[in-house]
């Protein structure tokens, strides 16, 4: 019973009891039907129970709570989705495409852990759907969100409520107060076919593949439409779990976690298995590959995760992916088609990319008419000519590429592919940097193509996130010389926008409102939006967190820039070069004058950072905490934590299993602390082992 029922004294006790029993019975029948695939009553009886509950809730509205089975039918349409911040980022996975890459994956784990025993993994099908996060408070579903960019998703609560395999209330009272469950929402093959049959009968456009259908269903602002789609969700992990009940033992392995999720009422893949060592992973891959076509849902590979959660914690993460998990992708799907022509596109950084124009062909659920050819070296390696029959490969969401040429089908009238000497857009000379395979336009901002791509990048979702400024609008504005640089965006006027093709005054005003809203941003987003070569989201965030302000980054030397984690000589060169260009500084000043602002990341007072200016290295295995935790504690004290030992290293913390790093530290006669000494240091500065 929910609080809204208990709080209402106007509802007869007998009615409250009947409603509670109906909710309990219907939830149980939902679970048996959609999760266990083992219905216990005929549909007509289920419909009778549901009608009775609807009657009671209509008569006594206080009975209708958010965990009622009646709430799966959808709610009135939303105006827009709101943003959700994932407190624990939803990271992507690294991919393996061969047995050798799987063997290397295990080798890296064993070396990092200095592990002597046989590793155990959990293997599970990689569903081809949409990753989501579900938040439960006191066992009741309160929020559903998309993965988005991993840190920021969209609130799709009304839509996930309509999915019958997602419990609105968990099937236990002995659960953490706060629980975040992660999983994949997908459309089974049978449901996909049924959906397209209905679309064809109604003369509507059909969906290309189940993944697109699932994604489109979750993007409906009207959840009543989502409710008509036969979506499923399979849970695959926990994000957050806080305040476990007394007497409940938290799972110590990933497999036990999945069993716990099943007990709470979630659908978990019945193909999940524990396997030993990389040999077990390879055998599971062979078995599931043979079953792939028989499954009632699409999968594009297998996910392997180290089973022991404590080992997962010790392994930690790289910038965008966990070290303890990997996705083994199935072989790319390949088809033959004809190369009709090659066009040359100019990218944001001036890179000239040859693009194959193909005779349209259907592969992997998508019609392909273009494919990347990468660069001139790749074309020469393939021996490609216009008119050739080629094999096109597509794996998952990877951009299609030409894999090879079928030379025995080469006609006599093929033509060589000739690279241009000047930019196809602005006719500026093309140049190739030393050691680079890519030709670049030397025109810079005088090149309309580079301007267009730079502006598209600037307004993109992961950058300044300016809603309503699409590619077509940008191309029109640049062609009409209303946009010559990104700062011109903030000088656009209503009548200029309203005069563009397919734009009315209301749409134009929406664009101006979105531009105004984008003026409040963050330093990492702004840095990423500037489009500095080799500075992606992770590097932009690392720069912002290290230097704290844009001014500090502008003034930093290459040596200072290389003190930032993951910033090497190449990136440092591009960053320094960018901030030495007068026209770049003028654009930044113009953007700030237009009102773009962000909070600087305030560095802590130096007197609270006793290790400021010192570089430390952690090596070996710490028994009282993971290396990641040790790194965080050193960073709290102001130290920089490096991955290798050098003459600049101040001190090394060496746990059991320390190898070459310890040897190098000793050869350089650097201070070396064992774990007990390290813990004493943390205690000295108020960072206790448990703190």
């Amino acid at each position: 019973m929910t609080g809204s029922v208990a709080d209402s004294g106007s509802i007869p006790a007998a009615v409250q009891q009947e409603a509670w029993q109906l909710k309990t019975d219907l939830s149980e029948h939902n679970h048996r039907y959609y999760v266990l695939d083992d219905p216990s009553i005929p549909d007509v009886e289920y419909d009778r129970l549901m009608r009775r509950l609807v009657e009671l809730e209509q008569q006594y509205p206080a009975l209708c709570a958010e965990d009622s089975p009646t709430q799966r039918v959808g709610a009135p349409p939303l105006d827009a989705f709101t943003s959700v911040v994932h407190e624990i980022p939803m990271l992507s996975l690294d991919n393996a495409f061969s047995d050798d890459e799987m063997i290397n994956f295990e080798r890296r784990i064993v070396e990092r852990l200095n592990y002597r025993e046989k590793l155990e993994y959990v293997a599970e099908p990689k569903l081809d759907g949409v990753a989501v996060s579900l938040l439960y408070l006191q066992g009741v579903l309160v929020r559903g969100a998309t993965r988005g960019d991993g840190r920021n998703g969209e609130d799709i609560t009304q839509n996930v409520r309509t999915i019958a395999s997602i419990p609105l209330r968990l099937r236990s009272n002995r659960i953490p107060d706060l629980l975040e469950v992660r999983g994949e929402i997908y459309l089974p093959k049978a449901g996909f076919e049924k959906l397209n049959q209905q679309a064809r009968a109604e003369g509507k456009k059909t969906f290309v593949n189940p993944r697109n259908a699932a994604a489109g269903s979750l993007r409906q602002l009207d959840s009543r439409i989502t409710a008509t789609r036969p979506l499923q969700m399979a849970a695959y992990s926990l994000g957050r779990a806080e305040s476990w009940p007394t007497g409940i033992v938290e799972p110590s392995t990933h497999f036990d976690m999945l069993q716990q999720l099943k007990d709470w009422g979630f659908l978990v893949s019945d193909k999940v298995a524990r396997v030993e060592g990389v040999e077990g992973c390879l055998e599971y891959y062979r078995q599931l590959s043979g079953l792939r076509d028989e499954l009632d849902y699409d999968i594009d590979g297998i996910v392997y995760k180290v089973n022991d959660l404590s080992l997962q914690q010790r392994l930690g993460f790289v910038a965008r992916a966990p070290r303890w998990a990997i996705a083994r992708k199935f072989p790319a799907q390949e088809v033959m088609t004809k190369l009709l022509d090659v066009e040359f596109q100019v990218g944001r950084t001036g890179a000239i990319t040859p693009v194959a124009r193909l005779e349209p062909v259907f592969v992997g659920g998508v019609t392909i008419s273009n494919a990347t050819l990468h660069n001139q070296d790749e074309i020469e390696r393939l021996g490609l000519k216009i008119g050739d029959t080629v094999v096109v490969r597509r794996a998952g969401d990877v951009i299609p590429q030409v894999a090879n040429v079928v030379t025995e089908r080469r006609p006599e009238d093929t033509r060589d592919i000739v690279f241009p000497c000047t930019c196809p857009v602005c006719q500026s000379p093309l140049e190739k940097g030393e050691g680079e395979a890519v030709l670049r336009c030397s025109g810079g901002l005088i090149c309309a193509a580079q301007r267009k791509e730079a502006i598209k990048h600037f307004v993109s979702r992961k950058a300044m996130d300016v809603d309503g400024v699409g590619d077509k609008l940008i191309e029109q504005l640049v062609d009409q010389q209303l946009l010559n640089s990104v700062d011109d965006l903030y000088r656009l006027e209503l009548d200029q926008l309203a005069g563009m093709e397919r734009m009315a005054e209301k749409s134009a005003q929406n664009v101006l409102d979105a531009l105004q809203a984008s003026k409040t941003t963050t330093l990492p987003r702004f840095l990423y939006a500037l489009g500095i070569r080799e500075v992606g989201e992770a590097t932009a965030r690392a720069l912002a967190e290290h230097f704290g302000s844009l001014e500090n980054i502008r003034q930093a030397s290459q040596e200072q820039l290389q003190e930032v984690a993951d910033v090497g000589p190449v990136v440092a060169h591009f960053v320094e070069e960018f901030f030495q260009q007068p026209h770049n500084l003028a654009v930044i000043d113009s953007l700030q004058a237009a009102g773009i602002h962000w909070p600087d990341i305030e560095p802590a007072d130096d007197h609270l950072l006793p290790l400021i200016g010192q570089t430390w290295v952690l090596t070996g295995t710490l028994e009282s905490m993971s290396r990641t935790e040790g790194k965080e504690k050193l960073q709290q004290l102001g130290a920089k934590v490096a991955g290798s030992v050098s003459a600049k290293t101040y001190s090394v913390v060496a746990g059991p299993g320390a190898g070459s790093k310890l040897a190098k530290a000793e050869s350089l006669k650097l201070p070396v602390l064992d774990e007990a000494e390290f813990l004493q240091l943390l205690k000295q500065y108020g960072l206790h082992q448990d703190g």
Side-chain angles (χ1 to χ4, degrees):
M1 291 285 280
T2 62
S4 61
V5 175
D7 293 344
S8 177
S10 61
I11 303 176
V15 172
Q16 292 191 42
Q17 178 60 33
E18 183 184 3
W20 178 85
Q21 192 63 55
L22 285 167
K23 291 178 182 178
T24 302
D25 291 347
L26 286 166
S27 295
E28 175 64 19
H29 294 314
N30 271 334
H31 179 71
R32 294 185 68 88
Y33 188 93
Y34 292 103
V35 177
L36 304 180
D37 195 22
D38 183 26
S40 57
I41 60 172
D43 290 349
V44 65
E45 176 62 11
Y46 179 91
D47 293 339
R48 185 190 69 78
L49 297 174
M50 181 65 79
R51 283 196 302 272
R52 177 56 180 160
L53 181 57
V54 170
E55 289 173 4
L56 292 178
E57 290 181 350
Q58 288 176 342
Q59 186 175 357
Y60 301 97
L63 288 171
C64 185
E66 56 190 13
D67 62 333
S68 172
T70 62
Q71 299 308 294
R72 295 194 184 276
V73 296
L78 300 170
D79 294 325
F81 293 115
T82 57
S83 182
V84 169
V85 176
H86 299 298
E87 293 194 17
I88 299 177
M90 296 183 70
L91 300 175
S92 54
L93 295 175
D94 285 335
N95 294 325
F97 293 93
S98 68
D99 289 358
D100 286 343
E101 289 178 351
M102 284 299 304
I103 292 169
N104 287 333
F105 167 67
E106 181 168 87
R107 177 186 54 77
R108 291 193 297 270
I109 290 176
V110 170
E111 290 177 354
R112 179 170 286 274
L113 295 175
N114 193 28
Y115 204 70
R116 309 289 185 195
E117 301 171 27
K118 195 85 166 178
L119 280 168
E120 186 176 68
Y121 299 92
V122 172
E124 52 194 299
K126 187 175 184 298
L127 294 164
D128 198 13
V130 180
V132 293
S133 161
L134 305 175
L135 184 65
Y136 290 81
L137 296 180
Q138 307 297 327
V140 176
L141 177 66
V142 296
R143 191 189 72 199
T146 61
R147 177 185 179 276
D149 64 5
R151 287 181 174 267
N152 299 279
E154 290 181 326
D155 190 324
I156 54 168
T157 306
Q158 289 191 5
N159 289 342
V160 299
R161 286 187 187 281
T162 69
I163 300 172
S165 55
I166 294 177
L168 301 178
R169 173 180 284 275
L170 300 183
R171 294 168 52 80
S172 173
N173 293 323
R174 305 204 30 90
I175 51 177
D177 290 346
L178 181 149
L179 193 69
E180 183 203 356
V181 177
R182 293 176 175 180
E184 194 87 354
I185 291 178
Y186 62 99
L187 193 62
K189 293 176 183 176
F192 171 71
E193 185 55 37
K194 182 178 179 182
L195 193 61
N196 272 349
Q197 284 179 356
Q198 182 180 345
R200 285 189 286 268
E202 295 173 357
K204 296 179 180 178
K205 183 179 178 181
T206 57
F207 288 97
V208 175
N209 55 47
R211 186 185 189 281
N212 287 353
S217 300
L218 291 176
R219 290 286 301 159
Q220 296 293 328
L221 291 171
D222 188 346
S223 61
R224 292 170 297 190
I225 297 175
T226 309
T228 66
R229 309 281 171 81
L231 298 168
Q232 288 271 43
M233 192 205 84
Y236 57 65
S237 73
L238 283 180
R240 299 162 60 201
E242 299 175 5
S243 302
W244 287 78
T246 303
I248 297 295
V249 179
E250 296 182 40
S252 60
T253 69
H254 183 72
F255 188 82
D256 289 342
M257 180 197 299
L258 294 178
Q259 301 312 302
Q260 183 68 79
L261 288 169
K262 286 176 68 174
D263 293 341
W264 286 334
F266 290 96
L267 173 65
V268 173
S269 173
D270 60 357
K271 296 293 185 289
V272 169
R274 284 177 290 191
V275 298
E276 284 196 350
V278 71
E279 302 85 3
C281 293
L282 300 182
E283 179 58 25
Y284 182 92
Y285 175 83
R286 287 187 284 271
Q287 290 178 4
L288 197 62
S289 296
L291 296 173
R292 184 182 182 188
D293 292 337
E294 300 173 20
L295 298 176
D296 184 43
Y297 44 84
D298 280 349
I299 61 174
D300 59 1
I302 297 165
V303 176
Y304 299 101
K305 299 172 184 174
V306 172
N307 192 26
D308 189 320
L309 297 182
S310 65
L311 294 183
Q312 288 187 12
Q313 187 179 37
R314 284 170 55 188
L315 286 164
F317 305 82
V318 290
R320 299 184 62 84
R323 290 191 179 97
W324 42 264
I326 198 165
R328 173 71 189 271
K329 301 303 263 310
F330 286 126
Q333 294 169 285
E334 298 179 340
V335 294
M336 286 196 300
T337 187
K338 186 175 181 179
L339 176 65
L340 302 177
D341 201 357
V342 174
E343 296 179 3
F344 297 92
Q345 294 183 345
V346 185
R348 174 171 56 86
T349 62
I352 306 297
T353 303
V355 177
R357 301 304 183 197
L358 306 168
E359 201 168 78
V361 62
F362 196 75
V363 53
V366 176
T367 298
I368 300 298
S369 56
N370 304 317
T372 181
L373 292 170
H374 299 293
N375 52 50
Q376 192 167 8
D377 291 350
E378 176 69 3
I379 290 175
E380 291 175 359
R381 185 189 71 80
L382 291 167
L384 184 63
K385 296 177 180 289
I386 295 171
D388 271 336
T389 295
V390 296
V391 174
V392 178
R393 175 185 297 152
R394 181 176 182 272
D397 291 331
V398 176
I399 297 171
Q401 59 182 345
V402 174
N404 58 278
V405 177
V406 186
T407 52
E408 56 267 29
R409 293 196 180 190
R410 173 171 285 169
E412 294 182 359
D413 59 349
T414 57
R415 294 179 287 124
D416 289 338
I417 298 169
V418 180
F419 267 68
C421 297
T422 60
C423 174
V425 175
C426 70
Q427 282 70 56
S428 296
L430 301 184
E431 54 189 26
K432 184 184 290 189
E434 185 177 348
E436 289 191 345
V438 177
L439 280 169
R440 295 184 189 275
C441 167
S442 61
L445 289 179
I446 70 167
C447 178
Q450 290 187 60
R451 286 205 305 275
K452 290 175 182 177
E453 294 305 315
I455 295 168
K456 289 174 186 178
H457 173 79
F458 185 84
V459 302
S460 64
R461 185 174 177 184
K462 295 178 182 179
M464 299 300 287
D465 193 19
V466 185
D467 193 34
V469 181
D471 292 358
K472 297 292 186 185
L473 178 59
I474 289 170
E475 288 168 7
Q476 290 183 68
L477 291 168
V478 172
D479 290 343
Q480 296 189 26
Q481 299 185 342
L482 293 172
L483 286 183
N484 294 305
S485 184
V486 293
D487 54 324
D488 286 339
L489 284 163
Y490 297 93
R491 287 188 277 270
L492 291 171
E493 298 178 357
L494 184 66
D495 59 338
Q496 292 174 323
L497 288 166
M500 296 296 108
E501 184 181 343
R502 296 184 179 178
M503 289 287 285
E505 187 169 320
K506 182 177 180 181
S507 302
Q509 186 59 54
N510 288 341
V511 168
L512 292 178
D513 291 344
L515 286 165
Q516 182 64 32
S518 74
K519 291 180 179 179
T520 301
T521 186
T522 66
L523 180 54
R525 275 183 175 269
F526 184 75
L527 280 174
Y528 176 64
L530 292 176
I532 306 169
R533 276 187 70 184
E534 302 298 331
V535 176
E537 295 172 81
T539 304
R541 188 178 300 112
L543 287 166
E545 291 175 352
H546 181 86
F547 289 103
S549 70
L550 181 63
E551 186 58 32
N552 289 342
I553 299 171
R554 286 172 62 158
Q555 300 299 327
S557 66
Q558 285 197 43
E559 291 74 18
Q560 291 169 323
L561 288 165
Q562 288 184 61
E563 293 176 5
V564 179
D566 301 325
V567 173
V570 174
V571 176
H573 167 73
F574 287 139
V575 173
E576 184 186 55
E577 183 180 55
F578 181 90
F579 286 110
Q580 286 180 347
Q581 299 298 322
H583 64 270
N584 290 337
L585 298 179
V587 168
I588 291 172
D589 291 342
S590 176
L591 288 168
Q592 291 185 284
I596 291 180
H597 63 281
W598 55 85
D600 282 347
I601 302 170
E602 293 292 336
D605 293 339
D606 283 0
H607 74 276
L608 297 177
L609 300 175
L611 307 186
I612 191 76
Q614 300 178 10
T615 299
W616 286 61
V617 171
L618 290 157
T619 183
T621 302
L622 299 180
E623 296 178 353
S624 59
M625 67 184 76
S626 67
R627 289 242 297 267
T628 300
E629 290 173 317
K631 177 179 178 179
E632 290 172 352
K633 291 181 185 297
L634 285 169
Q635 289 173 333
Q636 288 178 46
L637 297 173
K640 175 192 172 185
V641 181
S644 59
V645 176
S646 71
K648 295 181 180 179
T649 302
Y650 180 84
S651 187
V652 173
V653 178
S660 60
K661 293 178 185 177
L662 175 59
K664 186 170 183 180
E666 291 172 339
S667 70
L668 294 171
K669 297 183 179 180
L670 299 174
V672 176
L673 278 63
D674 61 20
E675 184 164 1
E677 292 168 326
F678 179 52
L679 293 175
Q680 184 59 38
L681 176 78
L682 297 180
K683 186 175 181 180
Q684 175 186 340
Y685 292 119
L687 293 181
H688 299 284
Q689 179 181 341
D690 59 358

